[in-house]
Structures are given as structure tokens and as C-alpha cells.
Amino acid sequence: MKRNLIFFLVLLAACSQKSAEESIDSSEEKERAYIRAIEGEDEDLDLEIIKRGEVLIAYSDCATCHKSDKRAKGPAFQDIAKRYPIKEVYVDLLARKVISGGTGSWGSPVMSPHPDLKTEDAKAMVSYILSLKE
């Protein structure tokens, strides 16, 4: 009886395991669904604005919820860069979102508003984030 139970458990485990290829496909699909990339050609960004944005982010509270290359409370900066094309319209949209805060774009996390942040500073920060495309 004990032998049959062990055989059954081994058989069950073997049948329920996915192949490595299926597992990779599934994780890639989840990442694509999470990022939901928007199609569009990238425009050039001003290097000085990117550098300014990097400094502004370094002195802000962004690192409380965001990391450069992995999800934390909020999405990774690189995931944000993967989603949005580098276009002025998205720089404006994301800068307004940084200032006003919000929820829903990346699931349930809530981004705190930053009402004291100047629009030009928020745009510089967003420009830096979007420059992180791989």
C-alpha cells in the first residue's frame, strides 16, 4: 500500500510538471501582459535633460517604490521604459501622472502625488526613465 502511494505521488508530480520551455513561454507571456508595450517610434531625447532627470530622481522619494531593473512596490523603471515609446506626448502624460499620482496602470499599487514638483522637473525625470530602454 505504501509503495502504491509513493508510486502514485511520483506519477502525479511527473504529470503535473511543465517542461522548461512551457514555463519560459508562460513567464514571457506574463511579462508582456504586465508591460503592455505601446507601439510607436522613439524620438531623440536631450542628453542634458536625461542627466538632470537622473539627478532629480536620485534626490527624490522615487526609490521608495521603484527600482531600476526589478519590480518593487511599483513597476521597475526599465518596465516603464519598455511600455512607452519615447515621444513628447508620453513624456507629458507621465509627468502629469508623477505630479498627480494615480493607480491602475500597473495593477493595484497607488502612486503618491507629488504636487510640489515642477512640470519641467517631472518631464526631466520621465525622460531619464524612458532613456532606460534596453
Side-chain angles (χ1 to χ4, degrees):
M1 172 108 170
K2 198 175 198 181
R3 193 174 188 184
N4 287 341
L5 180 60
I6 291 171
F7 175 74
F8 176 73
L9 291 175
V10 169
L11 183 62
L12 181 63
C15 290
S16 66
Q17 285 183 334
K18 291 182 179 179
S19 71
E21 196 172 293
E22 287 175 333
S23 186
I24 290 170
D25 288 345
S26 177
S27 66
E28 286 175 2
E29 286 177 30
K30 286 180 184 176
E31 182 177 343
R32 275 195 297 273
Y34 175 70
I35 293 175
R36 295 186 330 260
I38 298 170
E39 295 295 321
E41 293 292 318
D42 289 336
E43 297 172 357
D44 292 331
L45 290 170
D46 184 319
L47 187 57
E48 290 301 314
I49 292 174
I50 292 170
K51 288 179 183 179
R52 190 165 144 258
E54 183 178 15
V55 170
L56 288 166
I57 285 177
Y59 285 96
S60 73
D61 66 345
C62 296
T64 305
C65 299
H66 300 278
K67 305 298 176 221
S68 181
D69 59 348
K70 60 185 170 205
R71 282 188 245 180
K73 215 180 219 182
F77 288 148
Q78 289 177 356
D79 289 345
I80 296 168
K82 287 176 189 176
R83 177 178 284 184
Y84 296 97
I86 300 171
K87 291 189 171 295
E88 190 64 32
V89 66
Y90 292 114
V91 172
D92 291 341
L93 170 81
L94 294 172
R96 284 194 310 269
K97 192 160 223 160
V98 168
I99 293 168
S100 64
T103 187
S105 295
W106 295 91
S108 60
V110 175
M111 186 166 81
S112 303
H114 300 84
D116 296 333
L117 190 62
K118 294 178 188 172
T119 302
E120 70 181 59
D121 290 344
K123 285 183 177 183
M125 295 164 86
V126 168
S127 295
Y128 167 70
I129 292 166
L130 294 181
S131 77
L132 299 175
K133 286 183 187 277
E134 293 175 337

